[in-house]
Amino acid sequence: MSDTGTAIRESAPAAPDPVLSVVIPVYNEEAGLPALFARLYAALDALRTSYEIIFVNDGSTDRSAALLREQFQRRPDVTRVVLFGANCGQHMAIIAGFERCRGERVVTLDADLQNPPEEIGKLLAVMDAGHDYVGGVRREREDSWWRRAASRAMNRLRERLTRIRMTDQGCMLRAYSRDIVAAVAASREVSTFIPALAYTYAGAPAEVEVAHEERAAGESKYSLYQLIRLNFDLVTGFSLVPLQLFSMFGMLVSALSLATYLVVIGYRLFFAEWRGAANALWDRDILTFFLIGVVLFGLGLIGEYVGRIYQQVRARPRYTVQAILERDPRGPGER
Ligand code: UDP
Ligand code: MG
């Protein structure tokens, strides 16, 4: 992690760690940020606990960084801003927040107001009941029908292939205990999916229904291609079952081929009149194309894993920090 940037620090009396940290990744959200600020701070003030908000600007090319700087000036007591040098992805932005947050409990949230900040209290209430991981489940999800259908299908596949049980993998409104956040931050994974990674460290996970709204402003930052990539990450990052399925399939095909061979030869030798039927059913070209398709898919799948290994061994910094805006929590006189 390269903290090459300058930190702007103001002097303030030493403050104890807050109870709650809220981590928000921001990528080109200038249109929606003012509305987010208005609702988020009001909702958190209403909770009557100490909190901090960590905005991570994921290399926005619009005015988002400037708006975050202004907001830091307005509420420096509870606002911290991490500015990335480049776009490193939503999940890396959250990791950067996790590595710096000080709260006992950490809540993640999207910047586009699709996750209403007023629902944070609901997650915290479930944590009060003794859970260390609370996932939001979007009631009446406000997204296009094809995204809802695709997520449902991918959700089911992931449930089968991994041990991760999440009703709504796409909902980023989630609360984590300090220990889970520390474990996620310590995981050196290059491309990951935080809700799933955190789940693997959870002792008592729970879920709660939360509201979901249409994007307040701007457009989704995810293209169809990125959504497909994300789902590959979700499966190959947490399970080896796809690779194992391929060896299983290979064994099955070999066994079936042998059986078919014996049957066809038997017919040819002993039942001349069956030969026509065997010829009609047996189309080697089509079967060959099918098997080539399967083999190419398997090759690509191995490529997914090899690609992950390659990214991991290169061990490049996962993100670059340009600047951090925060007050020095230790107060004046200590630095
Ligand atoms: N985001 C980010 N980096 C990216 C893409 C998205 O930090 O490369 C942030 C974005 O600003 C938002 C959240 O991640 O706060 C979710 O993005 P978006 O709303 O576009 O995703 P969707 O809701 O369409 O799944
Ligand atoms: Mg969104």
Side-chain angles (χ1 to χ4, degrees):
M1 239 56 3
S2 63
D3 264 28
T4 48
T6 45
I8 298 176
R9 301 191 190 272
E10 295 182 0
S11 49
D17 284 348
V19 173
L20 174 66
S21 294
V22 178
V23 175
I24 306 184
V26 178
Y27 180 54
N28 291 348
E29 301 282 2
E30 63 176 359
L33 279 180
L36 173 71
F37 295 152
R39 278 177 60 186
L40 179 66
Y41 286 78
L44 291 176
D45 287 333
L47 289 178
R48 311 217 158 280
T49 72
S50 56
Y51 67 88
E52 63 175 4
I53 305 174
I54 306 180
F55 293 102
V56 184
N57 175 40
D58 185 15
S60 301
T61 50
D62 65 357
R63 293 190 56 249
S64 296
L67 292 175
L68 292 174
R69 278 178 195 277
E70 282 169 26
Q71 183 60 24
F72 171 69
Q73 302 296 347
R74 267 194 294 272
R75 292 293 300 271
D77 51 329
V78 289
T79 309
R80 301 166 68 196
V81 182
V82 179
L83 299 165
F84 277 7
N87 182 241
C88 304
Q90 177 186 1
H91 293 269
M92 283 308 124
I94 295 173
I95 294 260
F98 279 9
E99 285 176 341
R100 289 168 179 80
C101 61
R102 298 190 271 249
E104 260 316 296
R105 290 168 174 184
V106 183
V107 168
T108 56
L109 189 77
D110 282 351
D112 57 4
L113 280 177
Q114 287 200 279
N115 309 131
E118 294 78 15
E119 300 283 77
I120 292 175
K122 236 190 230 174
L123 302 182
L124 299 181
V126 179
M127 288 198 107
D128 288 338
H131 295 282
D132 55 356
Y133 174 109
V134 185
V137 178
R138 291 170 289 189
R139 183 183 334 123
E140 290 173 30
R141 185 171 161 193
E142 299 287 344
D143 273 319
S144 51
W145 67 269
W146 63 268
R147 277 195 65 168
R148 281 190 308 234
S151 336
R152 253 203 311 278
M154 278 314 301
N155 227 17
R156 267 202 295 275
L157 183 65
R158 196 222 52 246
E159 293 252 311
R160 284 174 171 252
L161 296 183
T162 67
R163 270 175 301 142
I164 297 160
R165 300 281 163 265
M166 289 189 294
T167 311
D168 189 0
Q169 62 181 32
C171 183
M172 293 307 290
L173 181 55
R174 287 168 191 271
Y176 311 99
S177 74
R178 167 91 254 155
D179 294 343
I180 291 181
V181 164
V184 170
S187 311
R188 315 300 309 162
E189 284 181 41
V190 171
S191 48
T192 192
F193 191 76
I194 308 250
L197 182 61
Y199 185 95
T200 62
Y201 300 128
E207 292 189 326
V208 65
E209 261 203 4
V210 292
H212 190 239
E213 294 173 6
E214 268 185 68
R215 223 173 199 286
E219 287 182 349
S220 172
K221 308 294 180 286
Y222 282 95
S223 62
L224 179 61
Y225 173 75
Q226 283 169 313
L227 288 173
I228 294 174
R229 294 280 345 132
L230 192 79
N231 281 296
F232 262 110
D233 279 348
L234 247 173
V235 173
T236 56
F238 296 93
S239 167
L240 292 180
V241 172
L243 286 180
Q244 290 155 354
L245 283 181
F246 261 86
S247 13
M248 296 291 171
F249 183 73
M251 285 196 281
L252 189 71
V253 169
S254 313
L256 284 179
S257 310
L258 187 65
T260 313
Y261 178 74
L262 292 178
V263 170
V264 169
I265 293 297
Y267 283 147
R268 282 186 189 162
L269 288 180
F270 303 111
F271 306 96
E273 69 276 20
W274 281 84
R275 277 170 69 169
N279 281 339
L281 288 176
W282 179 252
D283 190 315
R284 203 173 60 187
D285 284 349
I286 295 177
L287 279 177
T288 309
F289 276 127
F290 171 69
L291 280 181
I292 289 177
V294 172
V295 169
L296 282 178
F297 177 58
L299 211 59
L301 194 67
I302 294 171
E304 286 290 326
Y305 287 94
V306 175
R308 294 183 74 87
I309 299 169
Y310 178 49
Q311 284 184 327
Q312 205 71 48
V313 296
R314 272 191 320 214
R316 292 184 185 162
R318 294 183 295 175
Y319 58 82
T320 51
V321 174
Q322 193 180 61
I324 298 175
L325 315 180
E326 64 184 358
R327 260 188 181 176
D328 184 358
R330 287 166 296 179
E334 286 183 44
R335 15 176 51 232

